[in-house]
Amino acid sequence: MSNVNRQWILRSRPKGMLAAGDLQLTEAPVPSPTDGQALAKVKYLSIDPTMRVWMAVDSYLPAVAIGEVMRAIGFAEVVESHHKGYKKGDKVIGLMSLQDYVILDGAEKRGLQKVPPVPFVSDTAFLGVLGGNGLTAYFGMMEIGKPQKGETLVVSAAAGATGSIAGQIGKIHGCRVVGIAGTDEKCKWITEDLGFDAAINYKHPDWKEKLAAATPKGIDINFENVGGEIMQEVLNRMNLFGRVVLCGLISGYTKGDPGLVSLGLILVKRLKVQGFIVLDFASRFMEAATQLGKWKMFGKLKDRETIVEGLEKAPDAINMLFTGGNIGKMIVKT
Ligand SMILES: NC(=O)c1ccc[n+]([C@@H]2O[C@H](COP(=O)([O-])OP(=O)(O)OC[C@H]3O[C@@H](n4cnc5c(N)ncnc54)[C@H](OP(=O)(O)O)[C@@H]3O)[C@@H](O)[C@H]2O)c1
């Protein structure tokens, strides 16, 4: 075991994409757990668009303070324990930070959870399809989208961690599912491997015509991850009384601007638009994870990961979310 704990400290609030110096890699001694504490080695870090928001402003969580280790969701394994709730080898997920080691103490207060051993499920699945992204897709679709057989669902950032699962949940419920993504490779993956009915590359100049052709009966449900021009075009094609699952607005995160859409359209089309944060459903995570696990086991849900090796690459991995460098779940292996 190393005696160095590498930590990414937030030094300045980024403007645009993360720049060198916004985060600084420092080294501290590995903390020693005292009575009532356990020490866990962080093995994997979930790289999420919301981290860019946490660096900049107060939102559903307070902004990370300047000088603090950058917040991140992680997967860690206990290496030493003086805590009656943990033994060496226990695996834990939850809110951690961009560093090699974490101390667990009264961990339940920070939303940390022990991961049960589940055969044939990788550790990283608990950060993606069975973790925050799968849960987000599940609650967004089931509680707000409420998919019905024969309806048309359009998902943006459709080849990402959340969108790829949301679209497959739409297929499970008998929808026609159209994904919007930023490369032909992503479009091929979601149609050929995940079973989406159509995929639109929004970087092609004729993408709006292609979206119209792929949604001949209009759009009943929009699972929205991007906002701005993409969301506006989807709203243009929504049917009366359609539902918009407002999950994220990634096109605005590096601009500090959510990207306005037409409120007039929402009124005239009588759309139901609901934002949500997955934490709203914390008391039902087990129910959702069980369902997602069953779908995965029976081959109805497929997932993919982009794993970047090395804690030192964490800032690059965060930026990749905003350049479309990931397919499926973005993870850093420390
Ligand atoms: N409400 C909640 O509780 C909750 C929880 C988790 C995530 N979210 C939100 O869900 C969305 C997806 O998050 P994720 O973790 O699953 O990330 P992700 O989709 O795996 O990765 C982000 C993807 O967004 C696309 N993107 C980035 N900038 C874009 C732009 N300007 N225009 C269009 N597409 C762009 C990129 O794909 P392309 O190559 O296709 O451009 C990129 O791969 C985010 O908005 C996030 O904030 C919300």
Side-chain angles (χ1 to χ4, degrees):
M1 188 180 112
S2 159
N3 54 9
V4 172
N5 184 25
R6 295 170 302 163
Q7 303 179 308
W8 278 106
I9 310 286
L10 183 66
R11 290 293 179 212
S12 54
R13 306 217 177 274
K15 310 257 182 290
M17 302 282 281
L18 247 75
D22 288 337
L23 288 170
Q24 182 193 15
L25 190 60
T26 62
E27 293 188 352
V30 176
S32 298
T34 56
D35 250 6
Q37 292 186 328
L39 178 70
K41 169 80 180 75
V42 178
K43 292 178 70 185
Y44 299 102
L45 289 156
S46 172
I47 302 299
D48 297 300
T50 194
M51 293 167 77
R52 176 63 184 73
V53 179
W54 293 342
M55 287 181 202
V57 289
D58 292 335
S59 56
Y60 60 97
L61 290 180
V64 175
I66 299 295
E68 215 179 301
V69 185
M70 180 58 207
R71 183 190 296 144
I73 293 169
F75 179 105
E77 189 169 319
V78 174
V79 289
E80 184 182 339
S81 182
H82 308 284
H83 185 298
K84 58 181 181 337
Y86 295 106
K87 60 180 189 317
K88 197 171 168 191
D90 278 351
K91 294 171 174 180
V92 182
I93 47 167
L95 214 46
M96 300 179 188
S97 36
L98 293 182
Q99 59 182 341
D100 285 311
Y101 292 92
V102 283
I103 287 284
L104 309 175
D105 52 354
E108 61 289 349
K109 284 189 213 126
R110 286 186 286 134
L112 293 181
Q113 261 186 303
K114 267 207 260 185
V115 177
V118 185
F120 311 115
V121 176
S122 67
D123 290 348
T124 50
F126 291 100
L127 294 179
V129 59
L130 302 183
N133 303 100
L135 297 170
T136 302
Y138 179 88
F139 288 112
M141 283 299 295
M142 303 310 292
E143 296 299 321
I144 303 170
K146 299 188 191 296
Q148 305 295 318
K149 193 168 187 299
E151 289 187 323
T152 299
L153 161 72
V154 173
V155 182
S156 55
T162 310
S164 60
I165 306 297
Q168 291 178 86
I169 293 175
K171 284 307 303 172
I172 289 168
H173 288 84
C175 294
R176 171 174 175 77
V177 179
V178 178
I180 303 178
T183 67
D184 291 344
E185 183 192 2
K186 291 181 181 190
C187 289
K188 191 165 182 271
W189 177 57
I190 61 178
T191 48
E192 293 186 5
D193 290 355
L194 304 188
F196 283 43
D197 297 282
I200 313 295
N201 181 343
Y202 70 89
K203 292 190 179 155
H204 288 181
D206 59 349
W207 74 272
K208 293 180 184 173
E209 290 79 36
K210 289 207 165 119
L211 179 65
T215 55
K217 295 185 184 164
I219 298 168
D220 302 295
I221 310 170
N222 170 211
F223 192 101
E224 188 53 48
N225 287 315
V226 171
E229 190 187 358
I230 289 179
M231 181 175 182
Q232 181 61 59
E233 194 56 26
V234 174
L235 291 187
N236 288 343
R237 295 204 49 74
M238 292 289 295
N239 293 327
L240 290 188
F241 301 105
R243 287 93 70 199
V244 178
V245 184
L246 191 49
C247 176
L249 295 165
I250 193 169
S251 67
Y253 296 174
T254 55
K255 300 181 201 147
D257 161 16
L260 292 182
V261 292
S262 160
L263 289 177
L265 263 184
I266 295 172
L267 170 66
V268 171
K269 295 188 179 221
R270 289 80 129 185
L271 303 180
K272 189 185 247 184
V273 181
Q274 188 177 333
F276 74 108
I277 298 293
V278 65
L279 299 173
D280 301 340
F281 298 96
S283 64
R284 294 175 51 199
F285 279 179
M286 196 46 83
E287 160 205 329
T290 306
Q291 180 60 75
L292 290 162
K294 279 187 196 157
W295 282 333
K296 185 169 158 59
M297 203 164 66
F298 291 113
K300 292 187 169 181
L301 266 192
K302 294 183 186 162
D303 62 314
R304 187 160 161 178
E305 293 160 347
T306 300
I307 300 188
V308 169
E309 299 261 347
L311 179 65
E312 66 284 359
K313 303 253 179 64
D316 300 335
I318 296 171
N319 273 340
M320 280 168 72
L321 292 171
F322 298 92
T323 56
N326 62 307
I327 301 188
K329 178 68 196 163
M330 174 60 96
I331 287 173
V332 162
K333 183 174 189 288
T334 60

